[in-house]
């Protein structure tokens, strides 16, 4: 049996961040990371399309928490201890500069996730953190305040343990055996599959600011909308997929959405179209795009309103004007399934938040057992918020573990 002071299970974002902070704060502690893979930080590597969206330029805790469908209330306090600004400073102090993109996402200046990995590996090495790869944890027991942790390669003992295994069902099962409750995992951050003539053959078209409502629910969102080969994506959809993750799973990813492409009321758009009928009388409707919509989307909506390519504005009847106004402001689409959003995807579900002390990230049931990252029932919309949860939890747990 191998004795350590602190065992960290999982060598991902949260695991490395915690280990480094513990070892730096208290160099006397023997800290080991047990990682099942032949290398760690694999999600960091592929994150943000290989660029690693480390955090987000949102510096007000009450605003930051709005991005977490699960964990919103619980993260308020922790963000007052360690949040985005602290993340930037942490990396900066270790030679990694971050830059802000127009939409607030923050990446290493190098534009490469390898910079983050190199930083972690070098810091872990410098502070004497031992990283044992190919050590898949199979059992966790707590006997008389000592953790006995069995991996594929041997037994480890420690007084303190941090679980940072992300969305790993086997570890959730072990935690349930220890008395914790785990909310069933469901996917979050996905795109909607839709087969519809209005979206056919126009992948890549973006409507800059739309409103999307899910019928028979109170789920709605606003923002850019991207038409893909399979359906719809971009922030307006991804936000919905995160906030509606549980609801959509219940409905087996079959539901209806209503899109307002121009964020105007039906009446207002109808009145505008009536004015256009006068002003543009001799022009064809098809060729005179309105409301700053992308041309190809306008074409689709015009045709969906039973208006022919050659129809002139002057020839539009009331039904056609109403139909076009409906397509612009109340267009219904049938969602039938989901697809992975490759830039970033996460799992909703994990250790029940009521069972964790968010001042320390320690279990309320088992003394000296800590959690950080996606193992908890916390997840966020896309934009660097999921990593921020990992950094915050890992940092705060580290401060308490190293005491
Ligand atoms: C493709 C992709 C891109 C992403 N991009 C971004 C992004 O740009 N920005 C952002 O904020 N978020 C992003 N995310 C989400 C982000 O990666 C996660 O929220 C984050 O990695 C969670 O950190 P974690 O340490 O909790 O878990 P992980 O990073 O998943 O680490 C868990 C580690 O535990 C190990 N492990 C699991 N089970 C065991 C076991 N039994 N024994 C030992 N080790 C075990 C795993 O091998 C893994 O190394 C992305 C996710 C994906 C999938």
């Amino acid at each position: 049996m191998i004795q350590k002071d602190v065992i960290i299970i999982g060598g991902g974002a949260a695991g490395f961040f915690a280990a480094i902070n513990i070892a730096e704060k208290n160099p006397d502690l023997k800290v080991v990371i047990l990682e099942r893979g032949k290398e760690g930080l694999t999600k960091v590597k592929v994150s943000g399309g290989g660029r690693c969206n480390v955090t987000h330029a949102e510096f007000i805790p009450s605003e930051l928490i709005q991005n977490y469908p699960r964990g919103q209330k619980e993260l308020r306090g922790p963000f007052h201890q360690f949040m985005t600004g602290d993340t930037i400073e942490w990396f900066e102090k270790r030679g990694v500069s971050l830059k802000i993109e127009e939409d607030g996402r923050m990446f290493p200046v190098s534009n490469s996730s390898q910079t983050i990995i190199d930083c972690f590996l070098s810091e872990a090495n410098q502070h004497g953190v031992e990283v044992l790869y190919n050590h898949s944890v199979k059992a966790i027991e707590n006997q008389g305040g000592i953790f006995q942790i069995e991996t594929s390669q041997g037994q480890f003992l420690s007084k303190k343990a941090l679980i940072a295994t992300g969305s790993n069902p086997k570890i959730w099962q072990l935690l349930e055996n220890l008395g914790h409750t785990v909310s069933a995992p469901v996917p979050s951050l996905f795109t909607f599959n839709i087969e519809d003539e209005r979206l056919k053959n126009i992948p890549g078209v973006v409507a800059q600011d739309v409103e999307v409502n899910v019928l028979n629910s109170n789920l709605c969102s606003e923002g850019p909308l991207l038409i893909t080969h399979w359906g719809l994506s971009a922030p307006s959809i991804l936000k919905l997929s995160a906030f509606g993750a549980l609801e959509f799973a219940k409905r087996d990813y079959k539901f209806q959405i209503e899109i307002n492409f121009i964020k105007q009321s039906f009446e207002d758009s109808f009145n505008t179209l009536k004015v256009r009928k006068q002003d543009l009388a001799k022009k064809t409707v098809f060729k005179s795009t309105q409301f700053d919509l992308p041309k190809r989307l306008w074409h689709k909506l015009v045709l969906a309103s039973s208006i022919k390519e050659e129809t002139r504005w002057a020839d539009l009847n009331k039904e056609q004007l109403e139909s076009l106004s409906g397509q612009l402001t109340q267009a219904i689409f049938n969602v039938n399934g989901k697809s992975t959003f490759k830039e970033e995807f996460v799992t909703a579900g994990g250790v029940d938040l009521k069972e964790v002390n968010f001042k320390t990230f320690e279990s309320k049931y088992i003394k000296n057992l800590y959690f950080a990252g996606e193992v908890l029932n916390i997840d966020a919309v896309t934009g660097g918020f999921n990593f921020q949860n990992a950094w915050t939890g890992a940092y705060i747990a580290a401060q308490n573990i190293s005491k």
Side-chain angles (χ1 to χ4, degrees), residues 66-108:
Q66 303 304 327
N67 297 288
Y68 295 83
R70 284 147 294 272
Q72 197 167 99
K73 185 172 95 232
E74 290 78 8
L75 284 174
R76 185 184 285 268
F79 281 154
H80 278 97
Q81 284 194 57
F82 188 92
M83 68 160 221
T84 47
D86 304 298
T87 303
I88 298 165
E89 198 183 316
W90 193 95
F91 281 104
E92 195 79 45
K93 266 193 190 155
R94 288 156 185 85
V96 178
S97 300
L98 304 180
K99 59 168 177 175
I100 306 176
E101 303 220 324
E102 246 176 50
D103 56 5
R105 292 182 303 159
M106 298 198 66
F107 295 87

Side-chain angles (χ1 to χ4, degrees), residues 143-159:
Q143 297 209 334
I146 301 290
F147 291 101
Q148 296 186 4
I149 294 168
E150 191 188 320
T151 77
S152 42
Q153 306 218 34
Q155 286 251 2
F156 293 78
L157 300 179
S158 71
K159 280 198 182 148

